Amino acid sequence: MKGKHIFGWWSVIGDMSMERKLLLVFLIIITLPLTFISVFTYKSYSESIQGNTIAYSEKLIDQMMDGVDDYIEDMKRISSMPAYVNDIKQNLIRSNRYYEQKEIMGGKGGRASLSPGDFDLLLSIQRGIEGNISFINNIKRGANTVYIFDAHGNGYYSAKDGGVRLDLNQSYEFWSQQTKDSSGEALLFGTQSFTSNLQSTRYAFTVVRKIVDGLLNPIGLIAVEANISNLENRVTELDKVTHGTSLIVDEKGMVVFDSDKKLLATDVSDSELFKRVDGKSGSFYDTVNGKEFLSIYSSSSKTNWKAIISIPVDVLMRDVKVTRNATLAATLSIIVLALIISIIHSFALTKSLSQMIHLMKKVQGGDLDVMFRVRRRDEIGLLGHQFNRMLARIRQLIQDIYRIEEQKKEAELHALQSQINPHFIYNTLESIRMTAELNDDIEAADMISILGKLLRYSTSDLSGKTTMQQELGYVRNYVELLNCRYPNRFVLEIDVPKELDNYSIIKLVFQPIIENAAYHGLDDNKPQMHLSIRCEMTERMLLFHIKDDGCGMDKITSERLNEGLQKESPPKKSINGGIGMKNIHQRVRLHYGAAYGIEVYSELGQGTDVILSLPLLEPELIRLTD
């Protein structure tokens, strides 16, 4: 189908006028290089922009993540300060001892039942711990809240902006459970939402660490909490440079920060975006709501957080589109200018052909007495001279065709008249047969009868076509005639399906092969020669094996015979005047196609197998016999 389509377009181009062909050639010569250069430039520039954007964005993301890592490392160092501040540890030990005594006495140590001495003790502990917390807050900007808990969950804190968790007890239970199996190392928790004492929802990420005494016994817990505003400034600067939106997620798929602040502290582990962020860094294209984005990501080796920035492709390719439009405009301008020049030039070149085209139209209408006036010796003049010679040759050929047609009619008449001769021979043979029967010579009468059938079959039906049943009957008659000449020397076996009785076949394809076997393959040392015709059906063709058990031939002779069959020289008659093997082969190929014919296989002393291949007709074309 594709080849026909291409051939159709080629025919359309071939049927164009010379003027249009010249225009087409000029346009192709100019358009193809310009188009190639434009496409190549646009593609190279686009790939360069995308590659540079990816490399630059990855560098910016790495720088941002390095800043975040440094900030978190500072938070971890702050969380380790209670281990070096003896005042904090001593006050935590005092707090633990006080609440342990209260538990022994059966109370929880509530403030409503405090004695004046207890109040002074707790106030002293609180001032000692919270004073150190205020000092810690002043060390690191952005560490908005620091919580220190004793071993009983009593919290001490100091917040710069007053944003203290209302769910402090639940937070302590969570942090305490997560750090239970730790040995004092700092643990990082991603962004969590909480309600502050100012009745506002806030988001923060936290570093939590156990506080241990000199013997590494846990005496408390410290939580250093940072507001997401510390990330917002860095992400905003990154988005401004890349014109994209950023997303920071932890290794579990929880959102630490996003530019729109719509996904804070939510789980996106099942999202397609998180699943595609695999490895330390990389990039990929994604389509969201019909809009294409270039997503670039990088991971922190310290926190395992991943920063993902999504840049709209239309924003990324904005400058590329400007360059593309400018290149396209320039290309179209050059093509239009080239078209104008081509029209003028092609008109000047084809003007000289107008007269010849006019004369050709007259010739097409049947006027062969025209003549082109040759005025120049250029290509047009040579073409006109050849045109005049062609017309003269056409007139001569028309006269020759008239003469040949007259000769053909005369030959057909002679062919019809020659049909009288075979009928005369049939009648004569029938008279001889009747005479033999009258003289009681039954054997001679049978031989004459068989000979008449053979002669009638071979000379009747000038079209040369018959059915499989009639062709095989002709073979049987021929072998029967052979046995009359050589009594009981030949045994014929035919194994052809009855379904092929009405198979249409050209005449005289089996009998010449049988005749060749009988005259050239007969082994005088054997009392009988067995001949067989067997049909083999394949998916594509019919294979007829015509075998004999005669003397056969050697390999060199059989190869020479097969090579002779494949040559294109005209077929010759056999030595005795009959139809030879090559004649059968070429008739089959001419009638059915080059894929069919005969092939000879033989071994010396083992007989010969001649394989005749014929087309396998469609099932509905084979008329099944009852």
Side-chain angles (χ1 to χ4, degrees), residues 434-482:
M434 292 299 296
T435 302
E437 287 185 356
L438 291 174
N439 294 327
D440 294 329
D441 193 349
I442 304 302
E443 184 177 357
D446 291 341
M447 293 176 65
I448 294 171
S449 176
I450 295 171
L451 179 61
K453 292 178 182 179
L454 294 178
L455 184 61
R456 184 181 300 275
Y457 179 82
S458 61
T459 58
S460 64
D461 189 7
L462 294 177
S463 66
K465 290 189 123 178
T466 184
T467 64
M468 181 66 68
Q469 185 178 22
Q470 292 174 338
E471 179 69 8
L472 294 177
Y474 179 73
V475 173
R476 290 187 181 93
N477 290 330
Y478 176 74
V479 174
E480 186 177 353
L481 188 62
L482 280 178

Side-chain angles (χ1 to χ4, degrees), residues 523-549:
D523 190 351
D524 294 332
N525 296 322
K526 295 181 180 180
Q528 283 187 329
M529 184 178 191
H530 291 82
L531 304 169
S532 66
I533 300 176
R534 183 175 59 85
C535 177
E536 176 186 356
M537 285 189 180
T538 67
E539 293 182 357
R540 301 179 57 184
M541 61 179 65
L542 296 174
L543 298 178
F544 292 90
H545 295 264
I546 301 96
K547 290 185 178 182
D548 67 76
D549 58 353

Side-chain angles (χ1 to χ4, degrees), residues 298-312:
S298 182
S299 304
S300 169
S301 59
K302 296 180 179 180
T303 63
N304 289 326
W305 287 2
K306 294 182 185 293
I308 310 166
I309 181 168
S310 297
I311 306 173

Side-chain angles (χ1 to χ4, degrees), residues 237-245 293 309-312 315-316 318:
E237 183 178 354
L238 178 64
D239 292 347
K240 184 177 180 181
V241 174
T242 60
H243 304 287
T245 56
F293 290 87
I309 181 168
S310 297
I311 306 173
V315 175
L316 177 65
R318 186 179 299 159

Side-chain angles (χ1 to χ4, degrees), residues 275-293:
K275 292 178 181 178
R276 297 188 66 177
V277 178
D278 187 18
K280 181 174 177 57
S281 62
S283 61
F284 57 89
Y285 287 91
D286 195 13
T287 302
V288 180
N289 297 327
K291 190 173 183 180
E292 190 175 11
F293 290 87

Side-chain angles (χ1 to χ4, degrees), residues 98 111 114-125 127:
Y98 170 78
R111 292 184 184 273
L114 291 178
S115 64
D118 292 340
F119 181 81
D120 292 339
L121 175 62
L122 292 176
L123 184 60
S124 173
I125 293 172
R127 287 178 178 177

